[in-house]
Amino acid sequence: MTQNEELLQRCFDGDVNDEEMKNLFVVLCKDGGLRNTFRSLQRLRRDLHSIPVPNVSPALDERIKTLNKYSLLRLLPDRPSLKKFAAKKITMSVPAIAAALLLMVIGSYFAATTIEVTPKPETEYVYVVEMPAYVVQSSYQTIKNN
Amino acid sequence: MKQPIFTDEQLGIRFKNGDAEAVTLIYERYKSGLFLFCVRLLSDHAAAEDVVQETFVKMIAERTHLKNPGSLKSWMYIIARNEAFTQLHRKKGIRELNENDENIFQSDPPLTEFESRERAVILEKMLDQLLPQYKEVLMLREYESMTYDEIAVVTGTTVSAVKSRLFKARKALMERLEPLQKASAL
């Protein structure tokens, strides 16, 4: 694209100031080829706008309507409390990182140390396996007398 | 009763604040242009409808990302454009763009096939054959009257790239239409 062609296009798209417009007018008076290009551009624009425009189908209207209806929840205004929470950032990054490292070191020390567990003293249980017959007899007599 | 006319910025603010009516107003204002942009990019009505719907789904979901409510239109076109390009990639893949490449058409439509048809129909076919990167700038300029800066924002390119692509697209179309013009003059 030459400089004149660029100027011509900008003029065609309404992107020039008065000074540039004057310059282009001078160039157009001298350059027949550029005048032809300008005419072709005008014709092309007319043709482009003569192409039938496809209509938006009622089905699409309905789809957007439904979409809008069911997205009402998503359209609810943001909750300020959540927003405030989300906006919170760790500003003291260096102390935070230092604290995290310290925790890691302490944690690894404890992980490496084996903790000695002292065994609990065994409890002695006395099981009554069999009751002597005289005890049973005497108990029976006592209950009977009472 | 007549509805009050809101500016894009007012609509953008209402939309960002979760006003469901704003979605309807935005859709009503931009549906034709947005749909046309998607149809031309995709050359497929059904796919274009899907893209428009997906654009609104994403807009609603990501409404808090709209930094400047005044640039609502550009933001909406960025989403639609990205969605359309995703579809194009999925469907047939997009040729990597070489700015120095002279041929900006995806394939070569045989002109003789269209000679007997109307000029507008021929032009529409030619538009379909343009590479999407050229098609989008032409659409946004001619149908949406966006400035070079706005087009650069939507397409994620520089202003000079926009100007260059626009010029190449117009030139290529003019060159292809020229024989028809001569034929009709005879």
Side-chain angles (χ1 to χ4, degrees), chain A residues 13 47-48 57 61 63, chain B residues 27 49-50 53 119 143 148:
Chain A
D13 290 325
D47 288 340
L48 282 170
S57 71
D61 289 345
R63 279 159 74 179
Chain B
Y27 175 69
E49 284 190 0
D50 288 346
Q53 183 181 333
R119 201 179 160 90
Y143 295 107
Y148 297 144

Side-chain angles (χ1 to χ4, degrees), chain A residues 22-81:
Chain A
K22 276 181 202 164
N23 290 342
L24 181 66
F25 186 73
V26 173
V27 176
L28 280 173
C29 287
K30 290 178 191 166
D31 191 339
L34 208 63
R35 278 201 301 277
N36 283 338
T37 309
F38 191 70
R39 276 191 215 107
S40 300
L41 279 171
Q42 284 178 314
R43 174 139 204 187
L44 178 68
R45 180 164 283 172
R46 269 204 309 275
D47 288 340
L48 282 170
H49 286 275
S50 70
I51 298 174
V53 177
N55 288 324
V56 178
S57 71
L60 180 62
D61 289 345
E62 202 53 45
R63 279 159 74 179
I64 300 294
K65 212 170 143 185
T66 314
L67 165 78
N68 199 12
K69 195 175 157 188
Y70 288 105
S71 58
L72 282 176
L73 272 177
R74 275 192 275 175
L75 276 169
L76 283 174
D78 290 332
R79 283 190 282 173
S81 57

